[in-house]
Amino acid sequence: MSTVLRVELRDRIAVLTLDRPERLNAVGSGTVDRLTRALNDIRDNDDVRALVVTGAGRAFSAGADLGEIESFTTPGQFRAFVGRLTEAYALLEDFPKPSVAAVHGFAFGGGLELALACDLRVAERGALLGLPEMKLGVLPGAGGTQRLPRLVPPAVAKQMILTGEPIDAERARELGLVNELAEPGAVLETARALATRLAAGAPLALAAGKRLIDYGLGMDLEAAVAYERETVSVLFCTEDRAEGLKAFRERRPGEFRGM
């Protein structure tokens, strides 16, 4: 029986694998609940410094579970489903540890929205990324209309959303939507390597860096720079900052403890 979502902890990396390959990893309520529990469990695990999100089988995710959605009989049921999905993705986006989506095959609809909620994205060459909801007479409802135009030019986001047409990984890399390309069959390995580089950073600085970028984008420049100044001043007082300077002088990697 499918576990819906598997969690593997190794070498300070947590790999979260969507595990419904027979349904192309369609995201339903079970997946959302399991993702939420996994993120809450990992949040306070000091042995985990970074996350990788991927999918089992031949695709990252085909999107939201249409079978479940078709069972809804009222707008309220759909609104509740989208609400749970949105909350889970927001939890991932606001997570204090950096995350990397490892996309292969395709990431459509709610699947791409999951990847958009990650900090960074690695995609296999030839993979397709898209928000096809317009072809069903609706729109993305789990952050897609808002996160995508923050990552690519608004006109590109409009074309993808209003036509429902996907782009390939190579084009996504050109646009900055994808950070790194992987050769076929190597996307998880490439994503893990990127996550390992992230995990080498100081945990407090990693979390603060995420907040500075994400929150600063919503501020005017003067306020954002002031926020940056206060944040780095707090980090200056940490043990990790002292360890980082010592490691630099001794020409060795820092051994950060999140203190």
Side-chain angles (χ1 to χ4, degrees):
M1 181 179 296
S2 173
T3 59
V4 182
L5 185 141
R6 291 184 281 111
V7 180
E8 175 196 9
L9 309 180
R10 180 163 57 90
D11 298 332
R12 300 195 299 181
I13 308 299
V15 178
L16 281 57
T17 304
L18 302 176
D19 195 20
R20 300 180 72 194
E22 73 286 354
R23 298 294 303 277
L24 298 175
N25 299 318
V27 179
S29 295
T31 304
V32 171
D33 293 344
R34 180 73 179 96
L35 175 62
T36 300
R37 290 198 305 272
L39 291 174
N40 286 328
D41 290 343
I42 295 168
R43 187 182 187 92
D44 297 323
N45 187 338
D46 293 336
D47 292 330
V48 175
R49 298 287 181 88
L51 314 179
V52 172
V53 181
T54 191
R58 64 187 183 90
F60 181 80
S61 174
D65 188 339
L66 293 181
E68 181 174 352
I69 291 174
E70 288 174 346
S71 71
F72 300 150
T73 57
T74 68
Q77 290 175 308
F78 179 71
R79 185 180 300 110
F81 172 78
V82 171
R84 291 195 300 274
L85 196 60
T86 302
E87 289 171 2
Y89 290 1
L91 185 63
L92 175 60
E93 182 177 50
D94 294 336
F95 207 64
K97 303 170 184 185
S99 56
V100 181
V103 176
H104 69 291
F106 48 82
F108 291 155
L112 179 56
E113 288 175 307
L114 173 59
L116 295 176
C118 292
D119 296 302
L120 305 175
R121 283 152 293 281
V122 173
E124 183 178 274
R125 292 185 182 276
L128 296 177
L129 298 85
L131 297 170
E133 285 85 350
M134 180 61 70
K135 295 181 181 296
L136 300 176
V138 292
L139 287 169
T145 66
Q146 302 307 306
R147 290 192 178 99
L148 185 62
R150 285 169 167 79
L151 293 170
V152 303
V156 174
K158 285 181 180 179
Q159 181 173 348
M160 291 179 64
I161 292 167
L162 300 182
T163 67
E165 297 169 354
I167 60 175
D168 61 28
E170 289 79 1
R171 177 59 174 154
R173 177 68 179 84
E174 293 173 357
L175 293 167
L177 179 57
V178 164
N179 298 87
E180 295 186 16
L181 293 174
E183 297 303 319
V187 68
L188 182 55
E189 177 185 354
T190 304
R192 282 191 63 96
L194 177 55
T196 297
R197 300 201 301 274
L198 293 168
L204 295 177
L206 286 170
K210 283 191 56 171
R211 289 195 304 272
L212 277 173
I213 295 168
D214 291 341
Y215 297 172
L217 286 171
M219 302 178 182
D220 63 65
L221 183 58
E222 183 178 1
V225 171
Y227 178 37
E228 177 190 73
R229 181 172 61 249
E230 294 305 313
T231 299
V232 298
S233 296
V234 171
L235 291 173
F236 183 82
C237 301
T238 64
E239 293 182 15
D240 279 350
R241 196 278 310 172
E243 162 61 14
L245 181 58
K246 182 180 179 182
F248 175 77
R249 287 174 172 168
E250 296 175 358
R251 298 184 180 182
R252 60 172 175 79
E255 298 178 4
F256 301 117
R257 300 192 298 161
M259 300 176 65

